[in-house]
Amino acid sequence: MLTTACIFDLDGVIVDTARYHFLAWKRLTERLGISFTEEDNERLKGVSRMASLEIILELGNMRPDESTKLKYATLKSKWYVDYISKMTPDEILPGCLRFIKELRGANIRVAIGSASKNTPMILKRVGLEELFDAVADGNIVSKAKPDPEVFVKAAEMVGVKPGKCVVFEDAVAGVQAALNAGMMCIGVGSPKILTEAHYVVSGLKEMNLEKLITIEKNVRL
Ligand code: G6P
Ligand code: MG
């Protein structure tokens, strides 16, 4: 087997925080009088905070100055943090712990590659801060997915070449970031949305080491 590192996106792969992001953005858009649907929210998955705000302002045809933008992003984040500060280990998505422990047992490095600046807080809240060999997040990278920076950084942190990494991602921008990094990508979600991923599962509950080896054989031929 070629894979020696698995890099996991956090939001939507390890924990279901997408609904908290949605609720917080929804609150902001209601305040600003912008119509914002769950479908619009799909476009924000995997995208950094400021880049998400840009998409929302575009939906509302608004062009505020930089300091107002910062105020909006801060407000959204405050509401979001209110939600996630109440998270518990029950919110770890099914199959995640079992699969990651199986990978570790097989000597495969496991890392987080997330755009979120709240990654450390979320990992702590759900009791996962010890599980990963490395955490590359929005606090150490500046370029938003689909830029490959966050995955390249995660691979560097665990000392594995991109061609030997597999990324697990639930967002279109994240799948593109993985491909831009030259990594194999397993989408987590719907194959109708994650069309560019090498393979798609509905959740990590569908994954195990044997399956990873089979997928890899077909992709890395
Ligand atoms: C993840 C989520 C995005 C979110 C981004 C930044 O990638 O999928 O929806 O915008 O993180 O999150 P933050 O916690 O830093 O605002
Ligand atoms: Mg995600």
Side-chain angles (χ1 to χ4, degrees), residues 61-110:
N61 232 333
M62 288 175 69
R63 283 177 200 79
D65 59 27
E66 290 306 313
S67 72
T68 310
K69 282 186 197 169
L70 210 59
K71 208 179 79 194
Y72 292 161
T74 306
L75 205 53
K76 180 267 172 181
S77 195
K78 185 193 158 297
W79 291 327
Y80 176 67
V81 169
D82 284 347
Y83 291 123
I84 59 170
S85 60
K86 296 183 192 88
M87 284 180 85
T88 66
D90 291 349
E91 292 180 70
I92 299 171
L93 289 166
C96 171
L97 276 175
R98 175 202 39 78
F99 180 49
I100 293 178
K101 284 181 182 161
E102 192 185 6
L103 293 171
R104 291 186 65 102
N107 226 353
I108 293 174
R109 300 268 168 275
V110 289

Short mmCIF file of all heavy atoms in Angstrom, two decimals, residues 61-110:
data_model
loop_
_atom_site.label_atom_id
_atom_site.label_comp_id
_atom_site.label_asym_id
_atom_site.label_seq_id
_atom_site.Cartn_x
_atom_site.Cartn_y
_atom_site.Cartn_z
N ASN A 61 -25.66 41.56 -2.99
CA ASN A 61 -25.22 42.71 -3.78
C ASN A 61 -24.72 43.86 -2.90
O ASN A 61 -24.99 45.02 -3.17
CB ASN A 61 -26.40 43.21 -4.62
CG ASN A 61 -25.97 43.33 -6.06
OD1 ASN A 61 -24.79 43.54 -6.33
ND2 ASN A 61 -26.92 43.19 -6.97
N MET A 62 -24.02 43.50 -1.83
CA MET A 62 -23.54 44.53 -0.91
C MET A 62 -22.03 44.68 -1.02
O MET A 62 -21.32 43.69 -1.18
CB MET A 62 -23.89 44.12 0.54
CG MET A 62 -25.38 44.24 0.85
SD MET A 62 -25.73 43.62 2.51
CE MET A 62 -24.94 44.89 3.49
N ARG A 63 -21.56 45.90 -0.90
CA ARG A 63 -20.11 46.14 -0.96
C ARG A 63 -19.65 47.03 0.20
O ARG A 63 -19.24 48.16 -0.01
CB ARG A 63 -19.74 46.80 -2.30
CG ARG A 63 -19.73 45.81 -3.45
CD ARG A 63 -19.43 46.49 -4.78
NE ARG A 63 -19.88 45.63 -5.86
CZ ARG A 63 -21.14 45.51 -6.27
NH1 ARG A 63 -22.09 46.22 -5.69
NH2 ARG A 63 -21.48 44.70 -7.26
N PRO A 64 -19.71 46.53 1.41
CA PRO A 64 -19.28 47.36 2.55
C PRO A 64 -17.76 47.52 2.59
O PRO A 64 -17.05 46.77 1.90
CB PRO A 64 -19.76 46.55 3.76
CG PRO A 64 -19.86 45.16 3.29
CD PRO A 64 -20.13 45.19 1.82
N ASP A 65 -17.29 48.49 3.38
CA ASP A 65 -15.82 48.67 3.47
C ASP A 65 -15.20 47.56 4.34
O ASP A 65 -15.91 46.79 4.99
CB ASP A 65 -15.47 50.08 4.00
CG ASP A 65 -16.06 50.34 5.37
OD1 ASP A 65 -16.29 49.37 6.12
OD2 ASP A 65 -16.33 51.51 5.69
N GLU A 66 -13.88 47.52 4.35
CA GLU A 66 -13.16 46.42 5.02
C GLU A 66 -13.49 46.32 6.51
O GLU A 66 -13.64 45.22 7.04
CB GLU A 66 -11.64 46.57 4.83
CG GLU A 66 -11.15 46.31 3.41
CD GLU A 66 -11.60 44.96 2.84
OE1 GLU A 66 -11.47 43.94 3.55
OE2 GLU A 66 -12.11 44.94 1.69
N SER A 67 -13.60 47.47 7.18
CA SER A 67 -13.83 47.39 8.63
C SER A 67 -15.24 46.87 8.92
O SER A 67 -15.46 46.15 9.90
CB SER A 67 -13.57 48.75 9.30
OG SER A 67 -14.58 49.65 8.97
N THR A 68 -16.20 47.20 8.06
CA THR A 68 -17.56 46.66 8.24
C THR A 68 -17.56 45.15 7.99
O THR A 68 -18.20 44.39 8.72
CB THR A 68 -18.55 47.36 7.27
OG1 THR A 68 -18.37 48.76 7.39
CG2 THR A 68 -19.98 47.00 7.58
N LYS A 69 -16.80 44.74 6.98
CA LYS A 69 -16.70 43.29 6.69
C LYS A 69 -16.17 42.55 7.91
O LYS A 69 -16.66 41.49 8.28
CB LYS A 69 -15.76 43.06 5.51
CG LYS A 69 -16.37 43.33 4.16
CD LYS A 69 -15.37 42.92 3.09
CE LYS A 69 -15.71 43.51 1.75
NZ LYS A 69 -14.64 43.36 0.78
N LEU A 70 -15.15 43.13 8.50
CA LEU A 70 -14.53 42.50 9.66
C LEU A 70 -15.53 42.40 10.81
O LEU A 70 -15.59 41.39 11.53
CB LEU A 70 -13.30 43.33 10.08
CG LEU A 70 -12.19 42.55 10.74
CD1 LEU A 70 -11.66 41.45 9.81
CD2 LEU A 70 -11.03 43.51 11.10
N LYS A 71 -16.33 43.45 10.94
CA LYS A 71 -17.36 43.47 11.99
C LYS A 71 -18.37 42.34 11.76
O LYS A 71 -18.73 41.61 12.68
CB LYS A 71 -18.08 44.83 11.96
CG LYS A 71 -18.64 45.27 13.29
CD LYS A 71 -19.30 46.63 13.18
CE LYS A 71 -20.69 46.51 12.56
NZ LYS A 71 -21.27 47.77 12.12
N TYR A 72 -18.79 42.17 10.53
CA TYR A 72 -19.75 41.11 10.19
C TYR A 72 -19.15 39.73 10.48
O TYR A 72 -19.81 38.86 11.06
CB TYR A 72 -20.14 41.16 8.71
CG TYR A 72 -20.98 42.37 8.30
CD1 TYR A 72 -21.07 42.75 6.96
CD2 TYR A 72 -21.68 43.12 9.25
CE1 TYR A 72 -21.84 43.85 6.57
CE2 TYR A 72 -22.43 44.21 8.87
CZ TYR A 72 -22.51 44.58 7.53
OH TYR A 72 -23.26 45.65 7.15
N ALA A 73 -17.91 39.53 10.03
CA ALA A 73 -17.27 38.22 10.22
C ALA A 73 -17.10 37.91 11.71
O ALA A 73 -17.29 36.77 12.14
CB ALA A 73 -15.91 38.20 9.51
N THR A 74 -16.79 38.95 12.48
CA THR A 74 -16.59 38.77 13.93
C THR A 74 -17.91 38.39 14.61
O THR A 74 -17.96 37.51 15.47
CB THR A 74 -16.02 40.07 14.55
OG1 THR A 74 -14.85 40.41 13.82
CG2 THR A 74 -15.67 39.89 16.01
N LEU A 75 -18.97 39.06 14.16
CA LEU A 75 -20.30 38.79 14.71
C LEU A 75 -20.71 37.34 14.42
O LEU A 75 -21.14 36.60 15.31
CB LEU A 75 -21.28 39.75 14.03
CG LEU A 75 -22.56 40.11 14.76
CD1 LEU A 75 -22.26 40.62 16.16
CD2 LEU A 75 -23.31 41.20 13.97
N LYS A 76 -20.55 36.93 13.16
CA LYS A 76 -20.89 35.55 12.77
C LYS A 76 -20.10 34.57 13.60
O LYS A 76 -20.61 33.58 14.11
CB LYS A 76 -20.64 35.33 11.27
CG LYS A 76 -20.96 33.93 10.78
CD LYS A 76 -19.75 33.02 10.81
CE LYS A 76 -20.10 31.57 10.52
NZ LYS A 76 -18.92 30.71 10.56
N SER A 77 -18.80 34.85 13.75
CA SER A 77 -17.95 33.92 14.47
C SER A 77 -18.34 33.83 15.95
O SER A 77 -18.27 32.76 16.55
CB SER A 77 -16.48 34.34 14.33
OG SER A 77 -15.67 33.28 14.72
N LYS A 78 -18.75 34.94 16.51
CA LYS A 78 -19.16 34.95 17.91
C LYS A 78 -20.38 34.02 18.09
O LYS A 78 -20.41 33.19 19.00
CB LYS A 78 -19.50 36.37 18.34
CG LYS A 78 -19.82 36.51 19.82
CD LYS A 78 -20.45 37.85 20.13
CE LYS A 78 -21.22 37.81 21.42
NZ LYS A 78 -22.37 36.90 21.42
N TRP A 79 -21.34 34.13 17.18
CA TRP A 79 -22.53 33.26 17.26
C TRP A 79 -22.14 31.81 17.05
O TRP A 79 -22.64 30.91 17.72
CB TRP A 79 -23.57 33.70 16.22
CG TRP A 79 -24.20 35.02 16.51
CD1 TRP A 79 -24.48 35.53 17.74
CD2 TRP A 79 -24.62 36.00 15.56
NE1 TRP A 79 -25.06 36.79 17.62
CE2 TRP A 79 -25.17 37.09 16.29
CE3 TRP A 79 -24.62 36.08 14.16
CZ2 TRP A 79 -25.68 38.23 15.67
CZ3 TRP A 79 -25.15 37.21 13.54
CH2 TRP A 79 -25.66 38.27 14.29
N TYR A 80 -21.25 31.60 16.10
CA TYR A 80 -20.79 30.23 15.80
C TYR A 80 -20.11 29.61 17.02
O TYR A 80 -20.39 28.47 17.41
CB TYR A 80 -19.86 30.25 14.59
CG TYR A 80 -19.26 28.92 14.25
CD1 TYR A 80 -20.06 27.88 13.79
CD2 TYR A 80 -17.89 28.68 14.41
CE1 TYR A 80 -19.51 26.64 13.48
CE2 TYR A 80 -17.34 27.46 14.10
CZ TYR A 80 -18.15 26.44 13.64
OH TYR A 80 -17.60 25.21 13.35
N VAL A 81 -19.24 30.41 17.65
CA VAL A 81 -18.52 29.91 18.83
C VAL A 81 -19.49 29.60 19.97
O VAL A 81 -19.31 28.64 20.72
CB VAL A 81 -17.39 30.89 19.26
CG1 VAL A 81 -16.83 30.53 20.62
CG2 VAL A 81 -16.28 30.90 18.20
N ASP A 82 -20.55 30.41 20.09
CA ASP A 82 -21.58 30.11 21.10
C ASP A 82 -22.15 28.70 20.89
O ASP A 82 -22.33 27.96 21.84
CB ASP A 82 -22.76 31.11 21.00
CG ASP A 82 -22.41 32.46 21.59
OD1 ASP A 82 -21.38 32.55 22.29
OD2 ASP A 82 -23.16 33.42 21.34
N TYR A 83 -22.39 28.35 19.62
CA TYR A 83 -22.92 27.01 19.32
C TYR A 83 -21.88 25.93 19.63
O TYR A 83 -22.17 24.96 20.33
CB TYR A 83 -23.33 26.88 17.86
CG TYR A 83 -24.53 27.70 17.44
CD1 TYR A 83 -24.44 28.62 16.41
CD2 TYR A 83 -25.77 27.52 18.07
CE1 TYR A 83 -25.55 29.37 16.01
CE2 TYR A 83 -26.87 28.27 17.67
CZ TYR A 83 -26.76 29.20 16.65
OH TYR A 83 -27.83 29.92 16.26
N ILE A 84 -20.67 26.10 19.10
CA ILE A 84 -19.71 25.00 19.22
C ILE A 84 -19.15 24.85 20.63
O ILE A 84 -18.66 23.78 20.99
CB ILE A 84 -18.54 25.09 18.20
CG1 ILE A 84 -17.77 26.39 18.35
CG2 ILE A 84 -19.03 24.89 16.78
CD1 ILE A 84 -16.48 26.41 17.53
N SER A 85 -19.27 25.90 21.44
CA SER A 85 -18.76 25.76 22.81
C SER A 85 -19.62 24.81 23.62
O SER A 85 -19.25 24.43 24.73
CB SER A 85 -18.63 27.13 23.47
OG SER A 85 -19.89 27.71 23.52
N LYS A 86 -20.76 24.43 23.05
CA LYS A 86 -21.63 23.48 23.77
C LYS A 86 -21.50 22.07 23.19
O LYS A 86 -22.24 21.16 23.56
CB LYS A 86 -23.09 23.93 23.68
CG LYS A 86 -23.34 25.26 24.37
CD LYS A 86 -24.83 25.64 24.33
CE LYS A 86 -25.05 27.08 24.76
NZ LYS A 86 -24.94 28.04 23.64
N MET A 87 -20.56 21.87 22.24
CA MET A 87 -20.43 20.55 21.60
C MET A 87 -19.94 19.50 22.60
O MET A 87 -19.24 19.83 23.55
CB MET A 87 -19.44 20.61 20.42
CG MET A 87 -20.04 21.26 19.19
SD MET A 87 -18.83 21.29 17.85
CE MET A 87 -19.09 19.66 17.16
N THR A 88 -20.31 18.24 22.34
CA THR A 88 -19.87 17.14 23.19
C THR A 88 -19.30 16.01 22.32
O THR A 88 -19.52 16.00 21.10
CB THR A 88 -21.07 16.56 23.99
OG1 THR A 88 -21.96 15.95 23.04
CG2 THR A 88 -21.79 17.62 24.79
N PRO A 89 -18.59 15.04 22.92
CA PRO A 89 -18.04 13.92 22.13
C PRO A 89 -19.11 13.14 21.36
O PRO A 89 -18.79 12.46 20.39
CB PRO A 89 -17.37 13.04 23.19
CG PRO A 89 -17.00 14.00 24.28
CD PRO A 89 -18.11 15.00 24.32
N ASP A 90 -20.38 13.26 21.76
CA ASP A 90 -21.47 12.58 21.02
C ASP A 90 -21.57 13.07 19.59
O ASP A 90 -22.19 12.42 18.75
CB ASP A 90 -22.84 12.88 21.66
CG ASP A 90 -22.98 12.24 23.00
OD1 ASP A 90 -22.12 11.40 23.32
OD2 ASP A 90 -23.93 12.58 23.72
N GLU A 91 -21.00 14.24 19.34
CA GLU A 91 -21.14 14.82 18.00
C GLU A 91 -20.06 14.39 17.02
O GLU A 91 -20.04 14.83 15.89
CB GLU A 91 -21.23 16.35 18.11
CG GLU A 91 -22.53 16.76 18.76
CD GLU A 91 -22.70 18.25 18.92
OE1 GLU A 91 -22.88 18.94 17.92
OE2 GLU A 91 -22.61 18.72 20.08
N ILE A 92 -19.16 13.50 17.47
CA ILE A 92 -18.19 12.92 16.53
C ILE A 92 -18.99 12.03 15.60
O ILE A 92 -19.83 11.25 16.04
CB ILE A 92 -17.13 12.09 17.28
CG1 ILE A 92 -16.35 12.97 18.25
CG2 ILE A 92 -16.18 11.41 16.29
CD1 ILE A 92 -15.44 12.19 19.19
N LEU A 93 -18.76 12.16 14.30
CA LEU A 93 -19.59 11.43 13.33
C LEU A 93 -19.31 9.91 13.39
O LEU A 93 -18.18 9.49 13.70
CB LEU A 93 -19.37 12.00 11.93
CG LEU A 93 -20.00 13.39 11.74
CD1 LEU A 93 -19.49 14.07 10.48
CD2 LEU A 93 -21.52 13.32 11.74
N PRO A 94 -20.32 9.10 13.09
CA PRO A 94 -20.19 7.64 13.22
C PRO A 94 -19.02 7.05 12.41
O PRO A 94 -18.80 7.47 11.27
CB PRO A 94 -21.52 7.12 12.66
CG PRO A 94 -22.47 8.26 12.71
CD PRO A 94 -21.65 9.51 12.64
N GLY A 95 -18.32 6.13 13.00
CA GLY A 95 -17.25 5.42 12.31
C GLY A 95 -15.90 6.11 12.35
O GLY A 95 -14.86 5.49 12.08
N CYS A 96 -15.91 7.38 12.71
CA CYS A 96 -14.69 8.18 12.67
C CYS A 96 -13.59 7.64 13.60
O CYS A 96 -12.46 7.35 13.16
CB CYS A 96 -15.08 9.61 13.03
SG CYS A 96 -13.73 10.68 13.29
N LEU A 97 -13.94 7.45 14.87
CA LEU A 97 -12.95 6.98 15.83
C LEU A 97 -12.40 5.60 15.47
O LEU A 97 -11.19 5.37 15.48
CB LEU A 97 -13.57 6.90 17.23
CG LEU A 97 -13.57 8.21 18.01
CD1 LEU A 97 -14.31 8.04 19.32
CD2 LEU A 97 -12.13 8.68 18.27
N ARG A 98 -13.32 4.69 15.11
CA ARG A 98 -12.91 3.32 14.76
C ARG A 98 -11.94 3.33 13.59
O ARG A 98 -10.88 2.71 13.62
CB ARG A 98 -14.16 2.49 14.42
CG ARG A 98 -13.85 1.08 13.93
CD ARG A 98 -14.97 0.46 13.11
NE ARG A 98 -15.67 1.32 12.20
CZ ARG A 98 -15.20 1.71 11.01
NH1 ARG A 98 -14.02 1.31 10.59
NH2 ARG A 98 -15.93 2.51 10.25
N PHE A 99 -12.28 4.09 12.53
CA PHE A 99 -11.45 4.13 11.33
C PHE A 99 -10.08 4.75 11.63
O PHE A 99 -9.04 4.21 11.24
CB PHE A 99 -12.18 4.90 10.23
CG PHE A 99 -11.41 5.01 8.94
CD1 PHE A 99 -10.82 3.88 8.37
CD2 PHE A 99 -11.28 6.23 8.29
CE1 PHE A 99 -10.11 3.98 7.17
CE2 PHE A 99 -10.58 6.33 7.09
CZ PHE A 99 -9.99 5.20 6.53
N ILE A 100 -10.06 5.85 12.34
CA ILE A 100 -8.78 6.53 12.61
C ILE A 100 -7.88 5.65 13.49
O ILE A 100 -6.68 5.55 13.27
CB ILE A 100 -9.01 7.93 13.21
CG1 ILE A 100 -9.66 8.80 12.12
CG2 ILE A 100 -7.69 8.56 13.69
CD1 ILE A 100 -10.01 10.20 12.52
N LYS A 101 -8.49 4.96 14.44
CA LYS A 101 -7.68 4.05 15.28
C LYS A 101 -7.12 2.90 14.45
O LYS A 101 -5.99 2.47 14.66
CB LYS A 101 -8.52 3.55 16.46
CG LYS A 101 -8.67 4.62 17.52
CD LYS A 101 -9.48 4.15 18.71
CE LYS A 101 -9.64 5.28 19.72
NZ LYS A 101 -10.76 5.03 20.64
N GLU A 102 -7.93 2.43 13.50
CA GLU A 102 -7.46 1.34 12.63
C GLU A 102 -6.26 1.83 11.79
O GLU A 102 -5.27 1.11 11.63
CB GLU A 102 -8.60 0.88 11.70
CG GLU A 102 -8.28 -0.42 10.98
CD GLU A 102 -9.36 -0.83 9.98
OE1 GLU A 102 -10.32 -0.07 9.74
OE2 GLU A 102 -9.22 -1.92 9.41
N LEU A 103 -6.35 3.06 11.29
CA LEU A 103 -5.24 3.62 10.50
C LEU A 103 -3.98 3.74 11.35
O LEU A 103 -2.89 3.36 10.93
CB LEU A 103 -5.62 5.01 9.96
CG LEU A 103 -6.75 5.06 8.92
CD1 LEU A 103 -7.14 6.51 8.65
CD2 LEU A 103 -6.31 4.39 7.62
N ARG A 104 -4.15 4.25 12.54
CA ARG A 104 -2.99 4.43 13.44
C ARG A 104 -2.35 3.08 13.74
O ARG A 104 -1.12 2.96 13.78
CB ARG A 104 -3.42 5.11 14.74
CG ARG A 104 -3.81 6.57 14.56
CD ARG A 104 -4.06 7.21 15.91
NE ARG A 104 -2.82 7.24 16.68
CZ ARG A 104 -2.07 8.32 16.82
NH1 ARG A 104 -2.46 9.46 16.31
NH2 ARG A 104 -0.96 8.28 17.51
N GLY A 105 -3.20 2.08 13.92
CA GLY A 105 -2.70 0.73 14.19
C GLY A 105 -1.89 0.19 13.03
O GLY A 105 -1.01 -0.67 13.22
N ALA A 106 -2.18 0.67 11.83
CA ALA A 106 -1.46 0.21 10.64
C ALA A 106 -0.29 1.15 10.31
O ALA A 106 0.24 1.12 9.19
CB ALA A 106 -2.42 0.14 9.45
N ASN A 107 0.04 2.02 11.26
CA ASN A 107 1.16 2.93 11.11
C ASN A 107 0.97 4.01 10.05
O ASN A 107 1.94 4.49 9.47
CB ASN A 107 2.43 2.14 10.82
CG ASN A 107 3.58 2.63 11.68
OD1 ASN A 107 3.42 3.65 12.39
ND2 ASN A 107 4.70 1.96 11.63
N ILE A 108 -0.27 4.33 9.79
CA ILE A 108 -0.57 5.42 8.85
C ILE A 108 -0.74 6.70 9.66
O ILE A 108 -1.42 6.70 10.70
CB ILE A 108 -1.86 5.09 8.04
CG1 ILE A 108 -1.56 3.90 7.13
CG2 ILE A 108 -2.34 6.29 7.23
CD1 ILE A 108 -2.75 3.36 6.40
N ARG A 109 -0.08 7.77 9.20
CA ARG A 109 -0.18 9.05 9.91
C ARG A 109 -1.57 9.63 9.70
O ARG A 109 -2.14 9.50 8.61
CB ARG A 109 0.84 10.05 9.36
CG ARG A 109 2.27 9.60 9.51
CD ARG A 109 2.84 10.11 10.82
NE ARG A 109 4.10 9.47 11.10
CZ ARG A 109 4.22 8.29 11.71
NH1 ARG A 109 3.16 7.62 12.10
NH2 ARG A 109 5.41 7.77 11.95
N VAL A 110 -2.10 10.28 10.71
CA VAL A 110 -3.40 10.92 10.56
C VAL A 110 -3.29 12.41 10.93
O VAL A 110 -2.67 12.77 11.93
CB VAL A 110 -4.51 10.24 11.40
CG1 VAL A 110 -4.86 8.89 10.82
CG2 VAL A 110 -4.11 10.10 12.85
#
